[in-house]
Amino acid sequence: MFNQISDVFNWLESTGILAALGTLVALAIKQLAPYLKTHIKDKQLNQLTQYALQTVIKMATLVGLSKSDRQKAAIQEVTQFAHQLGFTWVTPEIVSSLVEAAYQQFKKLGYDNHAPQTTGLPDPDEPATSAAPTSSASAKATTSVAASAPTTSSEKPAQASATDAQVKEG
């Protein structure tokens, strides 16, 4: 059996078929290598994107962290995941953009329903309002007085008594 294999190998070598097959294989590998690298990198990027979305969803449920802390934690977790899988081409900038894209997708899907918690203190950007609450009766009286403002001095007493009557009824 070994003699037959040796004879076939010698025949392939002497006719040049072995050299042609070797060259064809080398050429195919050289031509397919960039495509395969790109294909593999795309698969890895899709895997990282999916993991980044899962991480953003997980981080959104953490109440004790601010938005920037959630982002930092998500970036760190995705970076660790990439290093565990051996993705050497992943940089911090790529991970940061993946996490941001995942967060934008998270918001687009309508899952971001975590409004920032308020402390009960007024915002410094909001205009100051009066501290004394107004009752609905006094608000109605103010509105009716402003709506029925007299135009002449002779109408003032009659309209003033009508306005007083409306305030007492309300």
Side-chain angles (χ1 to χ4, degrees):
M1 168 113 169
F2 181 72
N3 284 338
Q4 290 175 343
I5 294 173
S6 178
D7 289 341
V8 169
F9 183 76
N10 288 334
W11 178 77
L12 289 173
E13 186 178 14
S14 66
T15 58
I17 295 175
L18 188 61
L21 285 175
T23 305
L24 184 63
V25 169
L27 183 64
I29 289 173
K30 191 171 186 172
Q31 292 297 318
L32 289 178
Y35 170 74
L36 292 176
K37 285 181 183 177
T38 304
H39 182 69
I40 290 170
K41 193 172 181 179
D42 286 345
K43 292 286 186 179
Q44 291 173 349
L45 186 63
N46 287 340
Q47 191 175 8
L48 275 179
T49 303
Q50 291 297 323
Y51 187 77
L53 181 61
Q54 292 172 355
T55 303
V56 165
I57 291 171
K58 183 174 76 172
M59 293 298 165
T61 60
L62 298 177
V63 179
L65 296 176
S66 68
K67 286 186 178 184
S68 63
D69 290 339
R70 290 177 189 170
Q71 182 183 21
K72 288 176 187 174
I75 289 171
Q76 182 180 7
E77 191 167 325
V78 173
T79 303
Q80 288 175 353
F81 177 74
H83 287 297
Q84 286 175 353
L85 294 178
F87 300 164
T88 58
W89 54 270
V90 177
T91 63
E93 293 82 19
I94 291 173
V95 173
S96 178
S97 64
L98 283 175
V99 168
E100 182 60 31
Y103 179 68
Q104 294 304 323
Q105 183 180 6
F106 180 69
K107 285 185 355 184
K108 185 178 179 182
L109 293 173
Y111 295 138
D112 190 17
N113 59 0
H114 298 88
Q117 295 180 354
T118 58
T119 59
L121 299 174
D123 275 348
D125 297 337
E126 285 186 21
T129 57
S130 64
T134 58
S135 66
S136 61
S138 64
K140 286 180 186 177
T142 307
T143 309
S144 64
V145 169
S148 62
T151 56
T152 62
S153 60
S154 61
E155 294 176 334
K156 283 185 183 178
Q159 286 184 353
S161 62
T163 305
D164 291 340
Q166 287 176 355
V167 170
K168 289 179 184 176
E169 289 175 2

